[in-house]
Amino acid sequence: MTAEDRPVHLEINCATGAVTHTVLTDSEMIEYHRTLNNHLDQADRKAAEDASLAEAVSAHPDPVVQALARRAGIL
Amino acid sequence: MADTNTANLLLLIADLGDTFNFGAHVEANFTTIDGLMGAVDCTSTARPTNTYKGQIVYEHDSLRYAQNTGTKGSPVWTYMSHAAMATTFASPPTSGLSVGEVNYETDTTFLKVWNGSSWEQKAYSNQVVTSSAHSAHPFTGLQIFETNTGAGAVYNGSNYMYDTRQVAASQILVGTTASVTFSGIPPCTRLSLFHRSRLSTASQVDLLMQIDGNVGSAYLWAKVEAANGVASGSHAGALTTSIKLGVVSGTTTSYFGNGRQEIDGWSNSTGFMTCSGPYGNFDGTATDWAGTASGQFNVVGPHTSVKLFPSSGSFAAGSQFTLYGSM
């Protein structure tokens, strides 16, 4: 990713009205991607768990369990 | 030559062709002039009579020069100019004035106009002051700007009513932005922050806030939220590194999250800054969040900057942040 592709930090000085764009540094980009990948991994895991849980609950014979699952947004 | 009658003085000056210097100083108040003199001092109600056309007088009550544009027998006094007047609040001229004349008060810095019977403040000038030094002679409608607080107010006849003002231009992002910081924020009593945001790369994340560039464990947060209609609560439980303000929408085109935070104690030097406000967020027709978030920054003020950023990823173009301040 070139500097032109990197996100920027935007700062607005309320006293002067000056607006400054600062491109993320290399170390900031490393941290940026680390937290982003972690979040995506967590999102993927959660989505997989939700799908697995939904599948298991939908097959549960007890209608009360299924009603509670719908109430919780699982089904 | 001089007449022995002290009531009259005749002066004859003749140039004989030789070079000589002659000077005479005459200082007196003339009620009758038969001839032309230099500028004569008088008042607007007591001008000298029997003056020739062209005679100039100075009226020390109206502070202006006038010239006889009539005749010796029927003088017509015409003002030569409307002098730019500058007096103090307590000592403007009040006679010999024409409607529309302007006076500048050197102590109050007010610009007033003569309305025929009194000096009137016609234009509501925006007066530049400090919070500890307001005008000694405010008038109803006077607007002020305090250079040390950045606050504006209008005088209602008995006290000042302060404005709620946008402290910086509303920021609508045009590209991928990792964070938005408002710096140089004046010492307002309260701030109102409006946010509307969407992520550029990931699914929905938390919207976070830090104060004065402090990245340490100095923050508390708590929120109540309904995710897809299911309510829950959560809190920091201990000092942490940021305040959660709400949710930043994921990457679904045209979907944004938004909310508002009322921030109090911004300039308080003895108490911690606190904030609270609602938020809502849609990431699809069946994916949504709605809640209320509150927070605290465990460092006393006054403070100067607010940083907003997603817990991961970046804000997408079209996200918008606006900051208001009030005293």
Side-chain angles (χ1 to χ4, degrees):
Chain A
M1 177 179 280
T2 65
E4 290 74 20
D5 300 325
R6 296 184 180 185
V8 298
H9 293 297
L10 174 66
E11 178 174 342
I12 307 97
N13 189 310
C14 301
T16 65
V19 178
T20 307
H21 297 83
T22 306
V23 176
L24 267 63
T25 62
D26 290 344
S27 59
E28 286 178 323
M29 286 303 298
I30 292 172
E31 179 65 13
Y32 176 87
H33 284 294
R34 185 186 71 76
T35 58
L36 183 59
N37 291 334
N38 284 344
H39 175 72
L40 291 176
D41 289 343
Q42 290 174 10
D44 289 342
R45 284 196 296 273
K46 184 176 185 304
E49 289 172 1
D50 290 347
S52 175
L53 180 59
E55 182 180 358
V57 171
S58 66
H60 198 284
D62 190 335
V64 173
V65 171
Q66 294 197 4
L68 290 171
R70 283 191 292 274
R71 175 74 62 86
I74 297 173
L75 290 182
Chain B
M1 62 181 178
D3 192 289
T4 55
N5 184 344
T6 56
N8 297 296
L9 176 64
L10 301 178
L11 282 177
L12 296 177
I13 302 173
D15 183 353
L16 302 180
D18 292 330
T19 300
F20 70 96
N21 294 322
F22 180 83
H25 175 72
V26 178
E27 184 172 327
N29 293 321
F30 290 92
T31 58
T32 301
I33 302 174
D34 194 353
L36 287 176
M37 296 283 295
V40 174
D41 184 89
C42 64
T43 67
S44 62
T45 56
R47 302 187 183 99
T49 61
N50 204 35
T51 62
Y52 281 87
K53 180 178 181 179
Q55 177 63 51
I56 296 173
V57 298
Y58 177 73
E59 298 175 355
H60 59 255
D61 60 336
S62 67
L63 308 180
R64 293 182 297 181
Y65 287 96
Q67 185 179 45
N68 180 11
T69 56
T71 64
K72 178 181 176 182
S74 298
V76 176
W77 294 101
T78 302
Y79 286 115
M80 298 175 68
S81 65
H82 292 286
M85 283 183 285
T87 70
T88 61
F89 172 81
S91 60
T94 55
S95 62
L97 299 167
S98 301
V99 174
E101 293 207 62
V102 174
N103 182 40
Y104 173 73
E105 294 178 356
T106 55
D107 52 348
T108 65
T109 72
F110 293 156
L111 193 66
K112 293 183 177 177
V113 176
W114 183 254
N115 63 9
S117 59
S118 64
W119 289 103
E120 185 177 332
Q121 181 70 38
K122 297 295 290 182
Y124 292 147
S125 61
N126 196 339
Q127 197 175 45
V128 179
V129 298
T130 62
S131 58
S132 59
H134 290 170
S135 170
H137 305 286
F139 53 86
T140 303
L142 171 66
Q143 296 186 63
I144 64 170
F145 174 73
E146 295 177 348
T147 55
N148 57 323
T149 64
V154 61
Y155 191 73
N156 67 358
S158 57
N159 62 279
Y160 288 96
M161 302 171 65
Y162 282 84
D163 305 334
T164 294
R165 296 192 167 191
Q166 195 168 317
V167 296
S170 184
Q171 299 302 312
I172 302 176
L173 305 182
V174 298
T176 304
T177 306
S179 69
V180 175
T181 298
F182 291 93
S183 62
I185 300 173
C188 305
T189 299
R190 160 179 284 193
L191 295 178
S192 297
L193 171 67
F194 291 79
H195 57 87
R196 171 180 156 88
S197 57
R198 183 166 65 84
L199 278 180
S200 63
T201 56
S203 59
Q204 66 287 337
V205 299
D206 292 319
L207 174 63
L208 305 178
M209 179 171 73
Q210 289 175 335
I211 308 300
D212 296 341
N214 191 319
V215 298
S217 296
Y219 305 88
L220 297 173
W221 61 265
K223 64 176 183 174
V224 174
E225 179 180 272
N228 300 335
V230 179
S232 65
S234 58
H235 69 147
L239 289 174
T240 184
T241 57
S242 62
I243 295 172
K244 292 187 178 182
L245 302 184
V247 177
V248 184
S249 281
T251 56
T252 308
T253 303
S254 302
Y255 281 75
F256 287 85
N258 89 303
R260 183 183 81 246
Q261 283 283 309
E262 300 296 334
I263 302 173
D264 286 293
W266 180 254
S267 59
N268 195 311
S269 61
T270 58
F272 296 147
M273 181 216 88
T274 54
C275 59
S276 63
Y279 63 91
N281 167 266
F282 291 88
D283 217 18
T285 57
T287 307
D288 45 70
W289 294 261
T292 299
S294 62
Q296 181 173 288
F297 178 45
N298 282 30
V299 175
V300 298
H303 306 294
T304 60
S305 72
V306 168
K307 178 182 179 181
L308 305 165
F309 56 101
S311 56
S312 71
S314 300
F315 297 122
S319 299
Q320 182 174 2
F321 302 90
T322 310
L323 189 63
Y324 294 83
S326 59
M327 301 303 293

